[in-house]
Amino acid sequence: MTVRDISVWRRAFLFPATPASVRFRPRDPHVNTSSKPALFVSSDFNGFLGLLVDNISVMAFLATALIGIFGFPADLVYTRMFPGTTLGVLLGNLAYFVMARRLAKRSGNAQTTAMPLGVDAPTSIGMGLLVLGPAFLSYKQAGMDEHAAAIATWQLGMASLVVMGVFKTVLSFFGPLVQRHVPRAGLLGSIAGIALVLMGFLPLLEIMKVPMVGFAGLGIVLYALVARGAMPWNLPGVLVAFVVGLLLYLVLGPLGWLGHGYHPAAAWQWRVALPWPTLQWIHGLPLTLPYLPLILPFGLLMVAGGINVTESARAAGDNYNTRDILLVEALATLVAGCCGGVAQTTPYIGQPAYRAMGARTGYVLLTGIVVGLGGVFGYLSNLVELLPLAVLAPILIYVAISITTQAFEATPQRYAAAVVFSFFPAIADMVAIKLGDPTYVPREHFVALYNDASHGISELAVINVLGNGFIITSMIWASFVVAMIDGRPRRAASILLLGGALTLFGVIHSVVPTGSLYLPWALDPALRSISLQFAGAYLMLAVVLALLSLQPRNTAQA
């Protein structure tokens, strides 16, 4: 879900002193708003700036992670991946612009605000750190040269988006059904786990590699947005943090104070690359199989998020059709994948905040054009290259804090334990990412530790198995705990049986270090034993809960 785009961040960045009287105020039905809405209003610029910065930030982190962390060829990121990804942003925002104009005309409400759309942060970062980056390294370790490995990774990214696009298109017709059967603690807890360890902890490591730059920026962000401290001249806190961090980087770097953390900006390049449709994603379809436990939940989260943001807009006075909102972002993702994109689009939470800023319909049109053409003509990649990760990461850490906080605020307090419990698989996956890096643990030593069964299942194997498929695992864990809290042990048992079945085939708890799916009878005896023990654990607990359900229900209130 796109819970990262919470309204407090947008207001702090663009409109820090919005009067309480204009925040999230539904349209007064007695006010005459029948005049034809203008194509652009001056306050559309506020919305445009916020939506533009959001998209650039996500694209910058994706590029920096692939290039800086995994050594992915920069030219392929900027000329193959970016154009298709930004095309999805362009098409999605154009469609939302048309939808908003039609809604304004139909309702006679000139104050109608378009739904914002952009590249999703949690799943894009997840794609970079959990799918594309590790895949690139594994292809090179398998003997491919760097260029061939990069092309295969790009094809995997395209195919992943196509799979997510098709999946979201189907789910768009059943979105409310999905939301009813997966408790909010499961949906928000799983995405908060991603936020906490991938959007929060890993960027924090990047900050502390250049601490004189990153820590200062992080402190300003926390002071302005968490402590709600005032900025000089009432400037937006995120803008101040960004400018201060960039200035420190540009001034201290050439003086040698940042050591090897400073890299001079690359020369400006016009990387013209049209996002033509290509069938190369077909070659990537077989490569997606090991990553389906990640790819499919990414799509599911966007559907649930789309439902939530549509309800949010409806409460603010703009009655959009939920299915149409979901279909647009699903098709935008699908088209982006067919044209080379690797990051999915999604409607952003915060439409009421854009409405309070005064943005109407023109801001999404302007954002779509600027971002879309930026991928084609390459100026977006140049902006990304000017943004060192240590300067960008403080914003992402704040977003991670906000997502994690919202997981608790938007979930009833009695389910807080379920949310916390859902974090553990994500933590395991983060540790597995680091331990699976051959620069930390040599491959031969990793295999030896993984297969060491002298004291039961090895600790390294437990970490990897627990982390593989962690998003679905988090949903299952939170869901069965929620069922127990609600006094429904039989429902909890049925959820656990589902978890056991998924474990047998590696959808969750894959015993293969790469996280791939398999048929249990095709595994070698040692790995099959681990798989059966994990699946048996779900079965045993399900039996226990089924037996406990036979006891008289305790109706006493805690």
Side-chain angles (χ1 to χ4, degrees):
M1 305 177 58
T2 47
V3 291
R4 66 182 178 79
D5 299 291
I6 61 173
S7 56
V8 62
W9 183 36
R10 300 194 183 287
R11 290 199 301 272
F13 180 46
L14 296 171
F15 209 70
T18 303
S21 61
V22 300
R23 294 177 186 165
F24 307 100
R25 184 172 60 192
R27 178 174 62 93
D28 186 347
H30 301 292
V31 176
N32 181 12
T33 56
S34 59
S35 59
K36 183 178 180 180
L39 188 63
F40 289 99
V41 296
S42 59
S43 48
D44 272 326
F45 184 75
N46 280 343
F48 158 70
L49 185 57
L51 197 53
L52 178 65
V53 168
D54 246 355
N55 280 278
I56 291 178
S57 298
V58 178
M59 300 288 285
F61 189 87
L62 177 63
T64 304
L66 290 176
I67 299 168
I69 298 176
F70 297 101
F72 202 89
D75 189 63
L76 198 147
V77 171
Y78 296 135
T79 61
R80 301 284 186 98
M81 295 180 172
F82 267 27
T85 300
T86 58
L87 176 64
V89 177
L90 170 61
L91 296 180
N93 276 301
L94 287 178
Y96 281 174
F97 170 75
V98 173
M99 289 172 62
R101 302 292 293 181
R102 289 179 176 175
L103 177 61
K105 181 178 180 180
R106 183 172 65 250
S107 63
N109 181 13
Q111 309 303 310
T112 297
T113 299
M115 185 72 73
L117 177 138
V119 182
D120 179 60
T123 63
S124 297
I125 293 172
M127 279 292 293
L129 295 178
L130 302 177
V131 178
L132 301 179
F136 176 65
L137 295 181
S138 67
Y139 297 153
K140 290 201 300 182
Q141 292 166 5
M144 290 186 181
D145 63 65
E146 183 177 87
H147 180 73
I151 293 295
T153 303
W154 173 52
Q155 293 169 344
L156 166 64
M158 284 190 291
S160 299
L161 247 63
V162 171
V163 170
M164 281 191 282
V166 172
F167 185 58
K168 291 193 294 184
T169 300
V170 174
L171 284 184
S172 64
F173 295 95
F174 305 97
L177 181 67
V178 171
Q179 196 176 33
R180 284 197 301 270
H181 285 82
V182 181
R184 179 169 290 185
L187 290 171
L188 295 185
S190 60
I191 200 68
I194 296 177
L196 191 65
V197 299
L198 299 182
M199 292 182 63
F201 183 72
L202 292 184
L204 181 62
L205 297 181
E206 297 301 319
I207 278 181
M208 301 313 293
K209 290 178 181 179
V210 195
M212 295 180 67
V213 172
F215 204 60
L218 178 59
I220 295 172
V221 168
L222 296 177
Y223 178 80
L225 301 184
V226 176
R228 303 297 178 89
M231 291 285 101
W233 306 291
N234 200 32
L235 290 172
V238 173
L239 180 61
V240 173
F242 177 81
V243 171
V244 169
L246 188 59
L247 287 176
L248 288 173
Y249 184 82
L250 296 177
V251 172
L252 299 182
L255 296 177
W257 289 20
L258 304 182
H260 295 292
Y262 172 74
H263 303 282
W268 187 279
Q269 300 182 51
W270 289 104
R271 300 183 177 98
V272 179
L274 295 176
W276 292 112
T278 175
L279 295 179
Q280 292 208 43
W281 60 269
I282 295 177
H283 301 293
L285 281 178
L287 304 176
T288 64
L289 291 178
Y291 302 101
L292 287 180
L294 289 170
I295 294 169
L296 296 182
F298 284 163
L300 174 62
L301 289 170
M302 293 307 97
V303 171
I307 296 170
N308 289 337
V309 300
T310 307
E311 288 299 320
S312 176
R314 186 174 292 120
D318 293 326
N319 190 19
Y320 289 104
N321 182 282
T322 304
R323 186 191 63 185
D324 293 345
I325 292 294
L326 295 176
L327 276 176
V328 164
E329 69 106 351
L331 293 175
T333 296
L334 185 60
V335 172
C338 291
C339 296
V342 298
Q344 69 175 333
T345 55
T346 187
Y348 284 169
I349 284 178
Q351 190 267 3
Y354 282 107
R355 185 182 177 90
M357 292 176 196
R360 297 301 172 233
T361 61
Y363 80 103
V364 294
L365 175 62
L366 191 57
T367 302
I369 293 174
V370 171
V371 173
L373 294 182
V376 172
F377 293 107
Y379 58 78
L380 187 63
S381 63
N382 285 280
L383 290 175
V384 165
E385 288 180 318
L386 291 174
L387 302 175
L389 192 55
V391 173
L392 179 65
I395 304 172
L396 296 174
I397 292 175
Y398 169 72
V399 174
I401 293 172
S402 300
I403 292 174
T404 308
T405 301
Q406 193 185 53
F408 291 99
E409 293 177 344
T411 303
Q413 185 176 2
R414 67 182 185 276
Y415 299 141
V419 174
V420 173
F421 190 53
S422 71
F423 289 175
F424 292 125
I427 295 173
D429 188 75
M430 184 269 294
V431 177
I433 289 174
K434 290 300 182 183
L435 294 180
D437 186 345
T439 60
Y440 290 166
V441 181
R443 181 59 52 189
E444 297 78 11
H445 189 47
F446 180 93
V447 173
L449 292 174
Y450 193 95
N451 295 323
D452 181 10
S454 57
H455 301 286
I457 302 175
S458 71
E459 186 172 293
L460 183 58
V462 169
I463 292 172
N464 275 267
V465 173
L466 182 58
N468 285 336
F470 74 95
I471 297 180
I472 299 179
T473 304
S474 295
M475 291 181 180
I476 290 175
W477 284 20
S479 297
F480 89 78
V481 173
V482 166
M484 290 194 299
I485 293 172
D486 288 340
R488 304 173 66 186
R490 293 182 183 177
R491 176 174 174 80
S494 66
I495 295 171
L496 286 165
L497 290 176
L498 173 62
L502 296 177
T503 298
L504 284 175
F505 299 94
V507 177
I508 62 175
H509 305 311
S510 173
V511 296
V512 179
T514 58
S516 59
L517 308 181
Y518 45 73
L519 298 174
W521 51 85
L523 293 170
D524 66 61
L527 294 181
R528 188 187 309 123
S529 173
I530 298 175
S531 176
L532 291 176
Q533 289 185 67
F534 268 77
Y538 282 93
L539 175 61
M540 290 299 101
L541 182 53
V543 170
V544 170
L545 291 178
L547 292 174
L548 290 175
S549 70
L550 300 177
Q551 298 294 315
R553 182 173 178 179
N554 183 7
T555 58
Q557 297 296 320

